[in-house]
PDB file of all heavy atoms in Angstrom:
ATOM      1  N   ARG J   1     -10.750  -7.849   7.636  1.00 97.00           N
ATOM      2  CA  ARG J   1     -10.689  -6.690   8.540  1.00 97.00           C
ATOM      3  C   ARG J   1     -12.059  -6.218   8.977  1.00 97.00           C
ATOM      4  O   ARG J   1     -12.936  -6.062   8.144  1.00 97.00           O
ATOM      5  CB  ARG J   1      -9.932  -5.531   7.808  1.00 97.00           C
ATOM      6  CG  ARG J   1      -9.726  -4.341   8.685  1.00 97.00           C
ATOM      7  CD  ARG J   1      -8.994  -3.120   7.865  1.00 97.00           C
ATOM      8  NE  ARG J   1      -9.926  -2.615   6.921  1.00 97.00           N
ATOM      9  CZ  ARG J   1      -9.850  -2.708   5.530  1.00 97.00           C
ATOM     10  NH1 ARG J   1      -8.940  -3.490   5.043  1.00 97.00           N
ATOM     11  NH2 ARG J   1     -10.837  -2.194   4.754  1.00 97.00           N
ATOM     12  N   LEU J   2     -12.165  -5.876  10.236  1.00 97.00           N
ATOM     13  CA  LEU J   2     -13.402  -5.342  10.787  1.00 97.00           C
ATOM     14  C   LEU J   2     -13.011  -3.905  11.388  1.00 97.00           C
ATOM     15  O   LEU J   2     -12.133  -3.832  12.287  1.00 97.00           O
ATOM     16  CB  LEU J   2     -13.959  -6.257  11.852  1.00 97.00           C
ATOM     17  CG  LEU J   2     -15.286  -5.723  12.568  1.00 97.00           C
ATOM     18  CD1 LEU J   2     -16.403  -5.552  11.525  1.00 97.00           C
ATOM     19  CD2 LEU J   2     -15.534  -6.615  13.698  1.00 97.00           C
ATOM     20  N   THR J   3     -13.714  -2.869  10.903  1.00 97.00           N
ATOM     21  CA  THR J   3     -13.393  -1.484  11.378  1.00 97.00           C
ATOM     22  C   THR J   3     -14.612  -0.834  11.888  1.00 97.00           C
ATOM     23  O   THR J   3     -15.708  -0.931  11.264  1.00 97.00           O
ATOM     24  CB  THR J   3     -12.756  -0.737  10.262  1.00 97.00           C
ATOM     25  OG1 THR J   3     -11.719  -1.487   9.625  1.00 97.00           O
ATOM     26  CG2 THR J   3     -12.248   0.709  10.710  1.00 97.00           C
ATOM     27  N   HIS J   4     -14.416  -0.037  12.973  1.00 96.00           N
ATOM     28  CA  HIS J   4     -15.562   0.727  13.551  1.00 96.00           C
ATOM     29  C   HIS J   4     -14.909   1.991  14.026  1.00 96.00           C
ATOM     30  O   HIS J   4     -13.869   2.000  14.721  1.00 96.00           O
ATOM     31  CB  HIS J   4     -16.190  -0.022  14.734  1.00 96.00           C
ATOM     32  CG  HIS J   4     -17.150   0.800  15.540  1.00 96.00           C
ATOM     33  ND1 HIS J   4     -18.439   0.876  15.223  1.00 96.00           N
ATOM     34  CD2 HIS J   4     -16.853   1.600  16.588  1.00 96.00           C
ATOM     35  CE1 HIS J   4     -19.064   1.615  16.113  1.00 96.00           C
ATOM     36  NE2 HIS J   4     -18.217   2.079  16.951  1.00 96.00           N
ATOM     37  N   ASP J   5     -15.552   3.136  13.609  1.00 96.00           N
ATOM     38  CA  ASP J   5     -14.985   4.401  14.072  1.00 96.00           C
ATOM     39  C   ASP J   5     -16.093   5.424  14.087  1.00 96.00           C
ATOM     40  O   ASP J   5     -16.718   5.893  13.063  1.00 96.00           O
ATOM     41  CB  ASP J   5     -13.968   4.904  12.934  1.00 96.00           C
ATOM     42  CG  ASP J   5     -13.300   6.124  13.450  1.00 96.00           C
ATOM     43  OD1 ASP J   5     -13.713   6.832  14.359  1.00 96.00           O
ATOM     44  OD2 ASP J   5     -12.131   6.526  12.836  1.00 96.00           O
ATOM     45  N   THR J   6     -16.397   5.934  15.338  1.00 94.00           N
ATOM     46  CA  THR J   6     -17.387   6.986  15.526  1.00 94.00           C
ATOM     47  C   THR J   6     -16.739   8.197  16.301  1.00 94.00           C
ATOM     48  O   THR J   6     -17.479   9.061  16.814  1.00 94.00           O
ATOM     49  CB  THR J   6     -18.564   6.432  16.270  1.00 94.00           C
ATOM     50  OG1 THR J   6     -18.105   5.902  17.547  1.00 94.00           O
ATOM     51  CG2 THR J   6     -19.393   5.376  15.578  1.00 94.00           C
ATOM     52  N   LEU J   7     -15.429   8.340  16.290  1.00 94.00           N
ATOM     53  CA  LEU J   7     -14.814   9.432  16.949  1.00 94.00           C
ATOM     54  C   LEU J   7     -15.108  10.765  16.343  1.00 94.00           C
ATOM     55  O   LEU J   7     -15.163  10.852  15.128  1.00 94.00           O
ATOM     56  CB  LEU J   7     -13.296   9.201  16.978  1.00 94.00           C
ATOM     57  CG  LEU J   7     -12.744   8.004  17.785  1.00 94.00           C
ATOM     58  CD1 LEU J   7     -11.161   7.996  17.558  1.00 94.00           C
ATOM     59  CD2 LEU J   7     -13.015   8.043  19.235  1.00 94.00           C
ATOM     60  N   ASP J   8     -15.359  11.701  17.219  1.00 92.00           N
ATOM     61  CA  ASP J   8     -15.619  13.104  16.656  1.00 92.00           C
ATOM     62  C   ASP J   8     -14.316  13.817  16.262  1.00 92.00           C
ATOM     63  O   ASP J   8     -14.370  14.672  15.439  1.00 92.00           O
ATOM     64  CB  ASP J   8     -16.391  13.904  17.660  1.00 92.00           C
ATOM     65  CG  ASP J   8     -15.556  14.088  19.044  1.00 92.00           C
ATOM     66  OD1 ASP J   8     -14.726  13.236  19.323  1.00 92.00           O
ATOM     67  OD2 ASP J   8     -15.887  15.163  19.768  1.00 92.00           O
ATOM     68  N   ASN J   9     -13.132  13.310  16.783  1.00 91.00           N
ATOM     69  CA  ASN J   9     -11.854  13.983  16.387  1.00 91.00           C
ATOM     70  C   ASN J   9     -10.796  12.981  16.635  1.00 91.00           C
ATOM     71  O   ASN J   9     -10.810  12.272  17.712  1.00 91.00           O
ATOM     72  CB  ASN J   9     -11.624  15.202  17.324  1.00 91.00           C
ATOM     73  CG  ASN J   9     -10.443  15.917  16.958  1.00 91.00           C
ATOM     74  OD1 ASN J   9      -9.268  15.455  16.803  1.00 91.00           O
ATOM     75  ND2 ASN J   9     -10.556  17.276  16.862  1.00 91.00           N
ATOM     76  N   VAL J  10      -9.908  12.705  15.685  1.00 90.00           N
ATOM     77  CA  VAL J  10      -8.991  11.638  15.815  1.00 90.00           C
ATOM     78  C   VAL J  10      -7.873  12.015  16.737  1.00 90.00           C
ATOM     79  O   VAL J  10      -7.169  11.071  17.258  1.00 90.00           O
ATOM     80  CB  VAL J  10      -8.464  11.221  14.411  1.00 90.00           C
ATOM     81  CG1 VAL J  10      -7.562  12.319  13.845  1.00 90.00           C
ATOM     82  CG2 VAL J  10      -7.711   9.886  14.466  1.00 90.00           C
ATOM     83  N   PHE J  11      -7.517  13.235  17.000  1.00 91.00           N
ATOM     84  CA  PHE J  11      -6.463  13.662  17.841  1.00 91.00           C
ATOM     85  C   PHE J  11      -6.808  14.067  19.240  1.00 91.00           C
ATOM     86  O   PHE J  11      -6.172  13.854  20.150  1.00 91.00           O
ATOM     87  CB  PHE J  11      -5.610  14.728  17.164  1.00 91.00           C
ATOM     88  CG  PHE J  11      -5.031  14.298  15.870  1.00 91.00           C
ATOM     89  CD1 PHE J  11      -5.487  14.755  14.632  1.00 91.00           C
ATOM     90  CD2 PHE J  11      -3.932  13.415  15.813  1.00 91.00           C
ATOM     91  CE1 PHE J  11      -4.983  14.430  13.453  1.00 91.00           C
ATOM     92  CE2 PHE J  11      -3.392  12.943  14.553  1.00 91.00           C
ATOM     93  CZ  PHE J  11      -3.912  13.455  13.370  1.00 91.00           C
ATOM     94  N   PHE J  12      -7.952  14.715  19.317  1.00 94.00           N
ATOM     95  CA  PHE J  12      -8.547  15.208  20.539  1.00 94.00           C
ATOM     96  C   PHE J  12      -9.955  14.778  20.747  1.00 94.00           C
ATOM     97  O   PHE J  12     -10.871  15.623  20.776  1.00 94.00           O
ATOM     98  CB  PHE J  12      -8.447  16.792  20.716  1.00 94.00           C
ATOM     99  CG  PHE J  12      -7.018  17.282  20.563  1.00 94.00           C
ATOM    100  CD1 PHE J  12      -6.517  17.771  19.326  1.00 94.00           C
ATOM    101  CD2 PHE J  12      -6.226  17.376  21.715  1.00 94.00           C
ATOM    102  CE1 PHE J  12      -5.189  18.199  19.257  1.00 94.00           C
ATOM    103  CE2 PHE J  12      -4.945  17.863  21.633  1.00 94.00           C
ATOM    104  CZ  PHE J  12      -4.401  18.321  20.451  1.00 94.00           C
ATOM    105  N   PRO J  13     -10.187  13.478  20.714  1.00 94.00           N
ATOM    106  CA  PRO J  13     -11.567  12.991  20.716  1.00 94.00           C
ATOM    107  C   PRO J  13     -12.212  13.263  22.090  1.00 94.00           C
ATOM    108  O   PRO J  13     -11.593  13.253  23.141  1.00 94.00           O
ATOM    109  CB  PRO J  13     -11.428  11.462  20.498  1.00 94.00           C
ATOM    110  CG  PRO J  13     -10.102  11.179  21.114  1.00 94.00           C
ATOM    111  CD  PRO J  13      -9.233  12.364  20.779  1.00 94.00           C
ATOM    112  N   THR J  14     -13.559  13.484  22.077  1.00 95.00           N
ATOM    113  CA  THR J  14     -14.369  13.591  23.330  1.00 95.00           C
ATOM    114  C   THR J  14     -15.490  12.653  23.291  1.00 95.00           C
ATOM    115  O   THR J  14     -16.134  12.453  24.431  1.00 95.00           O
ATOM    116  CB  THR J  14     -14.898  15.076  23.431  1.00 95.00           C
ATOM    117  OG1 THR J  14     -15.738  15.328  22.248  1.00 95.00           O
ATOM    118  CG2 THR J  14     -13.855  16.070  23.512  1.00 95.00           C
ATOM    119  N   ARG J  15     -15.825  12.039  22.240  1.00 94.00           N
ATOM    120  CA  ARG J  15     -16.964  11.079  22.212  1.00 94.00           C
ATOM    121  C   ARG J  15     -16.731  10.056  21.134  1.00 94.00           C
ATOM    122  O   ARG J  15     -15.926  10.349  20.115  1.00 94.00           O
ATOM    123  CB  ARG J  15     -18.273  11.737  22.049  1.00 94.00           C
ATOM    124  CG  ARG J  15     -18.552  12.472  20.774  1.00 94.00           C
ATOM    125  CD  ARG J  15     -19.908  13.136  20.627  1.00 94.00           C
ATOM    126  NE  ARG J  15     -20.139  13.684  19.350  1.00 94.00           N
ATOM    127  CZ  ARG J  15     -19.780  15.010  19.051  1.00 94.00           C
ATOM    128  NH1 ARG J  15     -19.198  15.713  19.927  1.00 94.00           N
ATOM    129  NH2 ARG J  15     -20.081  15.394  17.789  1.00 94.00           N
ATOM    130  N   GLY J  16     -17.416   8.890  21.176  1.00 94.00           N
ATOM    131  CA  GLY J  16     -17.228   7.920  20.120  1.00 94.00           C
ATOM    132  C   GLY J  16     -16.324   6.811  20.458  1.00 94.00           C
ATOM    133  O   GLY J  16     -15.898   6.806  21.626  1.00 94.00           O
ATOM    134  N   GLU J  17     -15.957   6.021  19.523  1.00 95.00           N
ATOM    135  CA  GLU J  17     -15.088   4.854  19.788  1.00 95.00           C
ATOM    136  C   GLU J  17     -14.473   4.498  18.417  1.00 95.00           C
ATOM    137  O   GLU J  17     -15.106   4.597  17.403  1.00 95.00           O
ATOM    138  CB  GLU J  17     -15.902   3.728  20.414  1.00 95.00           C
ATOM    139  CG  GLU J  17     -15.044   2.558  20.816  1.00 95.00           C
ATOM    140  CD  GLU J  17     -15.914   1.496  21.572  1.00 95.00           C
ATOM    141  OE1 GLU J  17     -17.007   1.501  21.380  1.00 95.00           O
ATOM    142  OE2 GLU J  17     -15.238   0.700  22.317  1.00 95.00           O
ATOM    143  N   SER J  18     -13.200   3.946  18.493  1.00 95.00           N
ATOM    144  CA  SER J  18     -12.534   3.430  17.278  1.00 95.00           C
ATOM    145  C   SER J  18     -11.968   2.083  17.634  1.00 95.00           C
ATOM    146  O   SER J  18     -11.299   1.874  18.675  1.00 95.00           O
ATOM    147  CB  SER J  18     -11.506   4.433  16.931  1.00 95.00           C
ATOM    148  OG  SER J  18     -10.689   3.922  15.877  1.00 95.00           O
ATOM    149  N   ALA J  19     -12.168   1.136  16.679  1.00 96.00           N
ATOM    150  CA  ALA J  19     -11.677  -0.184  16.821  1.00 96.00           C
ATOM    151  C   ALA J  19     -11.339  -0.774  15.506  1.00 96.00           C
ATOM    152  O   ALA J  19     -12.204  -0.606  14.539  1.00 96.00           O
ATOM    153  CB  ALA J  19     -12.579  -1.127  17.652  1.00 96.00           C
ATOM    154  N   GLU J  20     -10.273  -1.475  15.329  1.00 97.00           N
ATOM    155  CA  GLU J  20      -9.938  -2.174  14.058  1.00 97.00           C
ATOM    156  C   GLU J  20      -9.252  -3.494  14.394  1.00 97.00           C
ATOM    157  O   GLU J  20      -8.208  -3.481  15.100  1.00 97.00           O
ATOM    158  CB  GLU J  20      -9.201  -1.276  13.188  1.00 97.00           C
ATOM    159  CG  GLU J  20      -8.883  -1.995  11.814  1.00 97.00           C
ATOM    160  CD  GLU J  20      -8.192  -0.961  10.852  1.00 97.00           C
ATOM    161  OE1 GLU J  20      -9.034  -0.229  10.168  1.00 97.00           O
ATOM    162  OE2 GLU J  20      -7.028  -0.965  10.704  1.00 97.00           O
ATOM    163  N   LEU J  21      -9.792  -4.618  13.840  1.00 97.00           N
ATOM    164  CA  LEU J  21      -9.134  -5.860  13.938  1.00 97.00           C
ATOM    165  C   LEU J  21      -8.896  -6.432  12.582  1.00 97.00           C
ATOM    166  O   LEU J  21      -9.772  -6.443  11.723  1.00 97.00           O
ATOM    167  CB  LEU J  21     -10.135  -6.839  14.631  1.00 97.00           C
ATOM    168  CG  LEU J  21      -9.732  -8.298  14.756  1.00 97.00           C
ATOM    169  CD1 LEU J  21      -8.438  -8.436  15.587  1.00 97.00           C
ATOM    170  CD2 LEU J  21     -10.813  -9.201  15.318  1.00 97.00           C
ATOM    171  N   THR J  22      -7.646  -6.822  12.341  1.00 97.00           N
ATOM    172  CA  THR J  22      -7.242  -7.373  11.052  1.00 97.00           C
ATOM    173  C   THR J  22      -6.567  -8.670  11.268  1.00 97.00           C
ATOM    174  O   THR J  22      -5.616  -8.839  12.091  1.00 97.00           O
ATOM    175  CB  THR J  22      -6.249  -6.405  10.347  1.00 97.00           C
ATOM    176  OG1 THR J  22      -6.869  -5.099  10.217  1.00 97.00           O
ATOM    177  CG2 THR J  22      -5.894  -6.972   8.975  1.00 97.00           C
ATOM    178  N   LEU J  23      -7.052  -9.678  10.509  1.00 97.00           N
ATOM    179  CA  LEU J  23      -6.543 -11.023  10.600  1.00 97.00           C
ATOM    180  C   LEU J  23      -6.124 -11.470   9.120  1.00 97.00           C
ATOM    181  O   LEU J  23      -6.855 -11.239   8.191  1.00 97.00           O
ATOM    182  CB  LEU J  23      -7.556 -12.041  11.090  1.00 97.00           C
ATOM    183  CG  LEU J  23      -8.008 -11.861  12.515  1.00 97.00           C
ATOM    184  CD1 LEU J  23      -9.175 -12.824  12.846  1.00 97.00           C
ATOM    185  CD2 LEU J  23      -7.039 -11.984  13.542  1.00 97.00           C
ATOM    186  N   GLY J  24      -4.864 -11.975   9.015  1.00 96.00           N
ATOM    187  CA  GLY J  24      -4.437 -12.276   7.751  1.00 96.00           C
ATOM    188  C   GLY J  24      -3.638 -13.653   7.866  1.00 96.00           C
ATOM    189  O   GLY J  24      -3.013 -13.943   8.932  1.00 96.00           O
ATOM    190  N   TYR J  25      -3.646 -14.436   6.728  1.00 96.00           N
ATOM    191  CA  TYR J  25      -2.816 -15.655   6.706  1.00 96.00           C
ATOM    192  C   TYR J  25      -1.927 -15.565   5.468  1.00 96.00           C
ATOM    193  O   TYR J  25      -2.506 -15.588   4.313  1.00 96.00           O
ATOM    194  CB  TYR J  25      -3.677 -16.935   6.602  1.00 96.00           C
ATOM    195  CG  TYR J  25      -2.881 -18.205   6.865  1.00 96.00           C
ATOM    196  CD1 TYR J  25      -2.521 -18.602   8.103  1.00 96.00           C
ATOM    197  CD2 TYR J  25      -2.474 -18.860   5.744  1.00 96.00           C
ATOM    198  CE1 TYR J  25      -1.741 -19.776   8.267  1.00 96.00           C
ATOM    199  CE2 TYR J  25      -1.643 -20.078   5.904  1.00 96.00           C
ATOM    200  CZ  TYR J  25      -1.414 -20.404   7.155  1.00 96.00           C
ATOM    201  OH  TYR J  25      -0.566 -21.626   7.283  1.00 96.00           O
ATOM    202  N   TYR J  26      -0.625 -15.398   5.685  1.00 94.00           N
ATOM    203  CA  TYR J  26       0.226 -15.063   4.563  1.00 94.00           C
ATOM    204  C   TYR J  26       1.404 -16.122   4.506  1.00 94.00           C
ATOM    205  O   TYR J  26       1.841 -16.702   5.498  1.00 94.00           O
ATOM    206  CB  TYR J  26       0.919 -13.695   4.872  1.00 94.00           C
ATOM    207  CG  TYR J  26      -0.015 -12.554   4.890  1.00 94.00           C
ATOM    208  CD1 TYR J  26      -0.396 -11.955   6.077  1.00 94.00           C
ATOM    209  CD2 TYR J  26      -0.709 -12.133   3.760  1.00 94.00           C
ATOM    210  CE1 TYR J  26      -1.336 -10.919   6.213  1.00 94.00           C
ATOM    211  CE2 TYR J  26      -1.551 -11.057   3.832  1.00 94.00           C
ATOM    212  CZ  TYR J  26      -1.884 -10.458   4.912  1.00 94.00           C
ATOM    213  OH  TYR J  26      -2.715  -9.495   5.098  1.00 94.00           O
ATOM    214  N   ARG J  27       1.762 -16.288   3.178  1.00 94.00           N
ATOM    215  CA  ARG J  27       2.962 -17.190   2.924  1.00 94.00           C
ATOM    216  C   ARG J  27       4.140 -16.206   2.554  1.00 94.00           C
ATOM    217  O   ARG J  27       4.030 -15.597   1.625  1.00 94.00           O
ATOM    218  CB  ARG J  27       2.642 -18.166   1.768  1.00 94.00           C
ATOM    219  CG  ARG J  27       3.851 -18.996   1.427  1.00 94.00           C
ATOM    220  CD  ARG J  27       3.451 -19.930   0.291  1.00 94.00           C
ATOM    221  NE  ARG J  27       4.553 -20.770  -0.186  1.00 94.00           N
ATOM    222  CZ  ARG J  27       5.039 -21.842   0.466  1.00 94.00           C
ATOM    223  NH1 ARG J  27       4.403 -22.332   1.589  1.00 94.00           N
ATOM    224  NH2 ARG J  27       6.138 -22.559   0.013  1.00 94.00           N
ATOM    225  N   ASN J  28       5.110 -16.191   3.513  1.00 91.00           N
ATOM    226  CA  ASN J  28       6.222 -15.333   3.349  1.00 91.00           C
ATOM    227  C   ASN J  28       7.485 -16.071   2.911  1.00 91.00           C
ATOM    228  O   ASN J  28       7.796 -17.125   3.340  1.00 91.00           O
ATOM    229  CB  ASN J  28       6.499 -14.635   4.681  1.00 91.00           C
ATOM    230  CG  ASN J  28       5.362 -13.884   5.233  1.00 91.00           C
ATOM    231  OD1 ASN J  28       4.519 -13.398   4.483  1.00 91.00           O
ATOM    232  ND2 ASN J  28       5.222 -13.863   6.524  1.00 91.00           N
ATOM    233  N   ARG J  29       8.187 -15.497   1.980  1.00 90.00           N
ATOM    234  CA  ARG J  29       9.484 -16.003   1.470  1.00 90.00           C
ATOM    235  C   ARG J  29      10.510 -14.991   1.596  1.00 90.00           C
ATOM    236  O   ARG J  29      10.461 -13.796   1.147  1.00 90.00           O
ATOM    237  CB  ARG J  29       9.301 -16.574   0.069  1.00 90.00           C
ATOM    238  CG  ARG J  29      10.543 -17.180  -0.392  1.00 90.00           C
ATOM    239  CD  ARG J  29      10.398 -17.839  -1.790  1.00 90.00           C
ATOM    240  NE  ARG J  29      10.640 -16.935  -2.913  1.00 90.00           N
ATOM    241  CZ  ARG J  29       9.643 -16.554  -3.765  1.00 90.00           C
ATOM    242  NH1 ARG J  29       8.431 -16.893  -3.525  1.00 90.00           N
ATOM    243  NH2 ARG J  29       9.984 -15.672  -4.746  1.00 90.00           N
ATOM    244  N   LEU J  30      11.675 -15.329   2.237  1.00 86.00           N
ATOM    245  CA  LEU J  30      12.834 -14.549   2.288  1.00 86.00           C
ATOM    246  C   LEU J  30      13.974 -15.109   1.547  1.00 86.00           C
ATOM    247  O   LEU J  30      14.238 -16.316   1.649  1.00 86.00           O
ATOM    248  CB  LEU J  30      13.293 -14.370   3.819  1.00 86.00           C
ATOM    249  CG  LEU J  30      12.342 -13.418   4.701  1.00 86.00           C
ATOM    250  CD1 LEU J  30      12.899 -13.425   6.099  1.00 86.00           C
ATOM    251  CD2 LEU J  30      12.192 -12.066   4.108  1.00 86.00           C
TER     252      LEU J  30
END
């Protein structure tokens, strides 16, 4: 996971930037 967050407000932001990238490799069983 790579995360970047410089937002001044999460709901009413006026500056900054937010980005998150998540990569996973999973073995799933149902």
Side-chain angles (χ1 to χ4, degrees):
R1 186 184 68 252
L2 178 63
T3 309
H4 170 89
D5 188 346
T6 56
L7 295 177
D8 60 335
N9 186 310
V10 70
F11 298 107
F12 299 95
T14 60
R15 65 178 184 273
E17 187 174 21
S18 175
E20 183 168 278
L21 174 63
T22 304
L23 299 173
Y25 189 82
Y26 299 106
R27 179 177 177 82
N28 302 329
R29 185 172 84 246
L30 291 177

